[in-house]
Amino acid sequence: MRTSVALRGALGLVFLAQFASAETPASASPEPSAAPAPAAQPAPTNAAPDAATATAPAPAPASAPAPASAPAAESGPVVVPADNEQPALEPIPSAHDTLGGHFVVGAALGPRWPFGDLEQGKDQQSYLGAALALTLDVGYGLSRNVVVGAWGEFDNHYSPSGCAPCSGKSFAGGPFIRYHLVQGTRFDPWGAFALGVRSTNVDTRTGTDDYFGVDFLKLTLGGDWYPTSNVGIGPYFTFDAGTYGSNVHTGLGTGLRLVLDFPGK
């Protein structure tokens, strides 16, 4: 009886062993399919970044190595952007006004030479010689450059070479405007434009002839040097043109001018 039980147990063990051996290949069949995995084992170290890069485009800085180009740029000139914001400059104050609001009185003395006609067929040079001209002017400074005022002139004509008894006197005057070029210097150059009227008396062998007309142009250039703040002296040159009726006459003059400035430069 015991032998039968033992025999049955042995047969059962053999059956189980055969069953186990027959099931093992079927259950172990997945292992050959996983066999390629060892060949792919080295890939995770290198493939993991590739897969991460392919699936995650976010880490852009790693794919743009900007610092790598910096050494090449340092070898060339460095361009610094210009600063368009310029510092504000302090305004330069104007020079001291030495003319505006001033009263300027001038007196000029020098020769004057007449040209042109007194009347039809009667030229000035035949009856009037060179004159000693005295000119006075009074002006007021409107600004640092401009003076307006009035002028007057007296000409004492000598006898011309062709008419010993001939001589004459001339009076003229009118308004003027004068422009002064510079400020703050001892030498004061200027130019003036004037208009006026003129009356001339001419003594001839037969009597005295009177002429009256308009000076439509009087241009004067000069310059005054101020040794003191109130007194100046300098040369002048003048050209004038006018009419006696329909006859045009002209004159040229030069000389020295003395000027007084109140209250002073």
Side-chain angles (χ1 to χ4, degrees):
M1 190 68 178
R2 294 177 180 176
T3 304
S4 176
V5 172
L7 181 59
R8 289 178 180 178
L11 290 175
L13 292 174
V14 171
F15 178 77
L16 292 175
Q18 289 295 331
F19 181 78
S21 63
E23 290 295 324
T24 302
S27 62
S29 59
E31 293 180 3
S33 62
Q41 284 296 333
T45 58
N46 297 329
D50 296 336
T53 305
T55 58
S63 60
S69 61
E74 292 178 357
S75 61
V78 178
V79 179
V80 180
D83 186 7
N84 294 328
E85 295 293 334
Q86 298 293 334
L89 300 178
E90 295 184 0
I92 300 175
S94 300
H96 175 63
D97 187 355
T98 60
L99 191 62
H102 289 216
F103 287 95
V104 183
V105 179
L109 183 66
R112 180 180 178 272
W113 296 271
F115 302 95
D117 296 329
L118 293 169
E119 57 182 273
Q120 187 68 30
K122 192 175 181 180
D123 63 275
Q124 289 199 105
Q125 289 182 305
S126 299
Y127 296 88
L128 297 174
L132 180 64
L134 172 64
T135 305
L136 301 177
D137 62 85
V138 178
Y140 178 77
L142 294 181
S143 69
R144 64 175 59 246
N145 297 107
V146 178
V147 174
V148 295
W151 64 280
E153 177 181 310
F154 170 70
D155 301 339
N156 185 22
H157 291 271
Y158 298 104
S159 300
S161 59
C163 183
C166 297
S167 65
K169 293 178 175 57
S170 180
F171 300 88
F176 76 85
I177 181 170
R178 188 166 62 229
Y179 186 84
H180 294 252
L181 302 180
V182 299
Q183 288 279 300
T185 61
R186 286 188 177 274
F187 184 70
D188 181 14
W190 51 267
F193 171 79
L195 302 172
V197 294
R198 184 177 295 272
S199 175
T200 302
N201 302 320
V202 180
D203 295 328
T204 65
R205 295 185 178 91
T206 59
T208 301
D209 296 329
D210 297 328
Y211 301 92
F212 182 83
V214 176
D215 280 9
F216 56 81
L217 176 65
K218 183 178 178 68
L219 296 177
T220 308
L221 298 177
D224 305 320
W225 181 74
Y226 282 82
T228 69
S229 62
N230 296 99
V231 180
I233 187 171
Y236 74 91
F237 302 91
T238 184
F239 168 80
D240 60 76
T243 60
Y244 296 127
S246 59
N247 302 282
V248 178
H249 64 86
T250 59
L252 289 176
T254 186
L256 287 177
R257 178 171 179 264
L258 178 69
V259 59
L260 302 177
D261 185 289
F262 302 99
K265 300 294 186 183

